[in-house]
Amino acid sequence: MAGGIRENHSGDDLAENHEINVTPFIDVMLVLLIIFMVAAPLATVDVSVDLPASTAKPAERPDTPVYVTLKEDMSLSLGNETAVRETLGADLDRLTEGNKDARIFLRADKAVDYGAFMEVMNLLRDAGYLKIALVGLETLPSPQLSPDEPSPAPGVQP
């Protein structure tokens, strides 16, 4: 009988208690639950995943890509010709034959600040060109020197 009065018939002052005290177990489980509730969202921020391969057909590259280049001096080039910001939309319409779905490849010098780069992106968007690809250089990781090798002197090619 739960919660009943225990009778001590043996005359012993300390009777054995055969009931399990689950209060510490519940306390530990609640603490673990709180820890996992806090830690789970933090663990999903930077998860490395080996993604499966896609069976979708890759996008076809255009025969004549349209490059818009923002130079260090903030001048624009459309292809190999210099372009004016005010007529950029009309010049793009002429090159793409009015196809607003044409992909525009946008290149910028790395000395160009973010604000100037966004101005050119806004010009392209205002002209109706929403498919903009950003062009950059691919770099290879630099080889790591072993701790035994001395580092080369500045200006000396290894």
Side-chain angles (χ1 to χ4, degrees), residues 43-49:
T44 61
V45 173
D46 189 24
V47 176
S48 62
V49 177

Side-chain angles (χ1 to χ4, degrees), residues 13-122:
D13 289 339
L14 298 174
E16 290 183 20
N17 184 2
H18 297 287
E19 297 174 3
I20 297 174
N21 187 3
V22 294
T23 304
F25 177 72
I26 293 172
D27 290 342
V28 168
M29 295 307 291
L30 288 175
V31 168
L32 288 174
L33 177 67
I34 292 170
I35 289 172
F36 284 116
M37 286 174 54
V38 171
L42 298 176
T44 61
V45 173
D46 189 24
V47 176
S48 62
V49 177
D50 188 11
L51 295 175
S54 173
T55 58
K57 181 180 174 186
E60 295 180 14
R61 296 194 179 261
D63 294 332
T64 55
V66 179
Y67 286 101
V68 175
T69 306
L70 181 60
K71 298 179 187 173
E72 185 177 5
D73 61 354
M74 302 305 162
S75 64
L76 283 176
S77 294
L78 188 56
N80 292 329
E81 301 174 9
T82 304
V84 182
R85 292 176 191 261
E86 290 79 20
T87 62
L88 181 64
D91 293 339
L92 281 171
D93 288 340
R94 180 178 44 81
L95 275 177
T96 62
E97 298 171 352
N99 182 9
K100 300 289 185 181
D101 288 333
R103 185 171 307 276
I104 307 299
F105 294 93
L106 180 59
R107 304 185 302 175
D109 192 281
K110 64 178 164 181
V112 173
D113 68 339
Y114 187 68
F117 184 75
M118 285 306 297
E119 287 177 15
V120 175
M121 296 254 321
N122 287 333

Side-chain angles (χ1 to χ4, degrees), residues 100-104 121 124-133:
K100 300 289 185 181
D101 288 333
R103 185 171 307 276
I104 307 299
M121 296 254 321
L124 293 172
R125 187 191 62 191
D126 292 342
Y129 294 94
L130 302 177
K131 293 185 177 182
I132 302 169

